[in-house]
């Protein structure tokens, strides 16, 4: 554990122990780590007789409805700023305060800010900075914090933290699947988290429309560049046909990427504002560099861009040409088979 | 650790240390646990200067080609019975000797039999019986055995054992995802297994035909019984259209099962010998009981049957009627929402 993490732990401990009312802030469009972490923290604070309120700009995805602690959750707009006065605001999984959107005013009323996150890009804001980029999830950092605070992890808290680490490691498949993350998961099972039940609830409670949309999108699967590029399209017509929401489009791009030999997977999606293009790449190709060519951005393995004023077929021609160019002109970017 | 497991470990250790030539037997259609375990064992035996040969009736699935130790592998028919004389035959992941098919004669020439398995149905055959149904995978039992034998687990052995536990727990999602399995995985990462690389190779190297077949099959998705039953069909025509192999049909049934509210997922597949029907159920419904009605069998959550002399639409009507009947007439079988 680094010195800054140790210091952050100590300072966060101090601020939490010496105050009574907490507001917990999540980033916009909260994911499993964010939701699991904030519920776990609210439940832990509740155990000590503290008041904890989670305020979020967006709802929690319905698949996390099974998690305990939801009674601590509210959305901006449902609660007036005057209704809850917090001593301390705790930001979870937010690289910068602005990431919590319209929930930020609730934090601005608090005396102290605690910043708990695992993103390397975190701006280190706040009075207590507990940022550990080596943690697989923000939930993993809470695990240490609870240890530091002497919280007795019960089954309800264990389930929330398990969801945090399970989802942020992609069911223990991503690079952040560290020995520490796996050992924490093992401990959480001993404390009452049921891995199969949780995995079923998280990964096997898909809306019918999302499975149908996947079927539609796979019909458009195309392979280019001798198998190195695979792309799929999601049209407005398809979305309408299966009554899909934009959430249903998530995950579709993992299918072209999962094909043997594919280096770059591309998804084109028609929307009112233009054509959304998503990129997923294998290790040797930088997705964010491709996305930047089209005014977008992202991470080395996952990036995207929004292209306006063109039809899907036009965007497709344009983008595939660029991806082909990247693969051809940068042979060092291409993994040797 | 139970007494019988301790005794099995001691007896297996003794037989391995006191002999030089080993034949390793896998069950037919070896899976990730079987392949990972046998390669790990062959590599460990090699480290001590022992001779080890894996004989299998079927090839290893190509997705496991990246695993080390393949030079120890051969298939029945490639090697004459007279070509290798083993002192000890070690059966891995085989509930009974017959499960290794035409590789059995290679074992019958050996003086001693070691039986290493985690199936509760294991018949406890052999001179050393190392059967532990509480182990997530046969690879987990090898992990203890290697500890007992003082084997230095290197990165090559670690990768093989990681694949064994990863695949048999369904990427740490099945019920057998125990704290022990997760801690073993953590140790294996420390010894050189790379979780992301391995997961990509195992789960993201799909043949193009399998992704295309999934798209075709999802077009047939139907929902019945108010959302409790979901079914998909795979026709001969589809298989031909995307040049699919029977391996490509694997996993398709997990999609209807993954839909929220579905209790029973059914897949119908046209083949020369008849219509293959597969069942996957949620906890409260016994798939094997449904399959038995049609002369098939299996496990409580996964079962199947082959129905001859009928067309796919005929079989579908028949089967859906029976599944509806089971759901209606056995309300205790149905999970309360």
């Amino acid at each position: 554990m680094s010195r800054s993490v140790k210091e952050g732990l100590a300072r966060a401990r101090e601020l939490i122990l010496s105050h009574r009312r907490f507001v917990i802030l999540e980033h916009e469009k909260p994911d499993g780590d964010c939701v699991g972490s904030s519920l776990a923290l609210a439940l832990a604070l509740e155990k000590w007789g503290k008041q904890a309120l989670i305020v979020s700009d967006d709802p929690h995805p319905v698949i996390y409805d099974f998690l305990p602690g939801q009674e601590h959750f509210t959305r901006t707009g449902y609660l007036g700023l005057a209704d809850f006065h917090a001593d301390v605001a705790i930001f979870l999984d937010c690289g910068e305060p602005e990431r919590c959107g319209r929930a930020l005013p609730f934090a601005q009323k608090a005396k102290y800010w605690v910043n708990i996150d695992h993103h390397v890009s975190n701006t280190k804001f706040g009075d207590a900075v507990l940022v550990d980029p080596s943690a697989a999830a923000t939930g993993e950092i809470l695990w240490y914090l609870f240890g530091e605070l002497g919280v007795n992890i019960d089954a309800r808290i264990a389930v929330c933290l398990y969801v945090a680490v399970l989802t942020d490691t992609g069911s223990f498949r991503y690079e952040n699947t560290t020995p520490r993350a796996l050992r924490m998961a093992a401990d959480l099972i001993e404390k009452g988290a049921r891995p199969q039940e949780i995995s079923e609830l998280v990964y096997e409670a898909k809306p019918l429309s999302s499975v149908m949309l996947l079927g539609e999108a796979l019909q458009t699967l195309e392979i280019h560049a001798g198998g190195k590029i695979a792309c799929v399209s999601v049209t407005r017509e398809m979305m309408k046909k299966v009554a899909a929401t934009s959430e249903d489009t998530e995950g579709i791009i993992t299918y072209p990427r999962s094909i043997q030999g594919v280096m770059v997977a591309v998804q084109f999606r028609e929307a009112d504002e233009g054509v959304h293009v998503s990129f997923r790449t294998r290790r040797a190709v930088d997705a964010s560099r491709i996305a930047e060519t089209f005014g977008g951005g992202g991470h080395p393995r996952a990036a995207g861009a929004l292209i306006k004023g063109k039809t899907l077929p036009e965007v497709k021609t344009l983008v595939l040409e660029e991806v082909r160019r990247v693969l051809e002109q940068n042979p060092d970017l291409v993994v040797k088979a």
Side-chain angles (χ1 to χ4, degrees), chain A:
Chain A
M1 198 176 285
S2 76
R3 216 181 94 185
S4 79
V5 172
K6 269 189 200 157
E7 283 172 7
L9 271 174
R11 184 81 182 115
R13 179 179 184 279
E14 192 187 308
L15 282 176
I16 289 172
L17 288 181
S18 58
H19 291 90
R20 229 182 75 75
R21 284 166 310 191
F22 298 85
V23 62
I24 298 169
L25 287 306
E26 303 177 335
H27 60 70
E28 291 171 295
K29 296 190 181 167
D31 57 6
D33 184 19
C34 204
V35 171
S37 293
S38 62
L39 294 172
L41 180 57
L43 289 168
L45 291 169
E46 183 194 85
K47 280 186 150 223
W48 297 312
K50 313 242 179 200
Q51 280 179 37
L53 181 74
I54 305 162
V55 185
S56 170
D57 214 7
D58 289 306
H60 285 171
V62 290
I63 54 164
Y64 302 121
D65 278 357
F66 73 96
L67 288 177
Q70 309 278 355
E71 63 279 11
H72 295 284
F73 177 74
T74 191
R75 283 182 65 192
T76 52
Y78 289 73
L79 184 86
L81 252 185
D83 298 336
F84 189 79
H85 298 277
D87 307 313
V88 179
I90 306 180
F91 291 81
L92 292 179
D93 210 36
C94 295
E96 49 188 8
E98 292 68 29
R99 282 222 61 208
C100 67
R102 285 171 304 169
L104 188 55
F106 288 87
Q108 282 161 338
K109 287 175 59 198
K111 279 192 287 274
Y112 298 101
W113 283 12
V114 176
N115 169 6
I116 304 177
D117 186 25
H118 71 127
H119 291 100
V120 71
S121 57
N122 189 290
T123 58
K124 312 281 174 75
F125 63 91
D127 302 289
V129 179
L130 181 38
V131 176
D132 183 359
S134 77
T138 291
E140 190 183 316
I141 307 176
L142 285 184
W143 174 252
Y144 307 132
L145 181 65
F146 292 171
E148 201 73 15
L149 286 159
V151 175
N152 173 25
I153 310 272
D154 59 20
R156 300 169 83 213
I157 296 176
V159 168
C160 294
L161 292 180
Y162 196 90
V163 163
V165 73
L166 174 77
T167 56
D168 246 29
T169 59
S171 194
F172 307 109
R173 289 187 193 176
Y174 300 158
E175 209 161 6
N176 59 349
T177 305
T178 59
R180 227 163 58 174
L182 288 166
R183 292 193 179 112
M184 169 182 155
D187 284 349
L188 292 172
I189 295 172
E190 283 168 347
K191 296 195 186 299
R194 297 186 188 171
Q196 185 186 27
E197 260 183 57
I198 294 172
S199 298
E200 271 191 29
L201 288 161
V202 168
Y203 296 114
E204 298 187 20
K206 292 179 190 149
L208 174 60
S209 53
S210 82
V211 178
M212 289 174 74
L213 188 65
L214 174 64
E216 295 291 323
L218 290 181
Q219 296 283 314
T220 70
L221 181 65
E222 285 177 19
I223 300 292
H224 297 278
K228 288 201 182 76
I229 307 172
C231 68
V232 287
S233 301
V234 177
T235 63
R236 257 186 299 237
E237 201 189 339
M238 285 177 198
M239 300 279 290
K240 207 173 151 190
K241 183 177 167 191
V242 304
T245 67
S246 67
E247 250 183 63
D248 293 334
T249 63
E250 273 171 38
I252 291 177
I253 195 171
T254 60
Y255 290 84
R257 208 196 84 137
S258 73
I259 297 165
Q260 192 157 35
V262 168
M263 301 293 301
V264 183
V266 192
Q267 177 184 286
F268 303 97
R269 179 166 66 85
E270 274 181 357
D272 292 337
E273 62 274 25
V275 177
H276 289 277
V277 189
S278 307
F279 302 95
R280 294 290 184 282
T281 61
R282 295 258 177 234
R283 193 174 284 267
V285 184
D286 190 337
S288 66
R289 277 169 60 185
I290 303 175
E292 279 162 18
T293 315
F294 299 101
H299 301 279
R301 296 289 80 76
L306 172 65
I307 301 180
K308 294 178 184 179
K310 289 196 165 58
T311 66
L312 193 152
E314 286 166 358
V315 168
K316 192 160 132 184
T317 305
L318 203 71
V319 167
L320 288 180
E321 213 163 87
E322 172 62 17
V323 176
R324 259 200 211 90
R325 202 191 58 73
V326 168
L327 288 177
E328 278 165 17
Q329 297 193 357
N330 298 283
D332 55 314
L333 278 186
V334 182
V335 159
K336 275 93 193 155

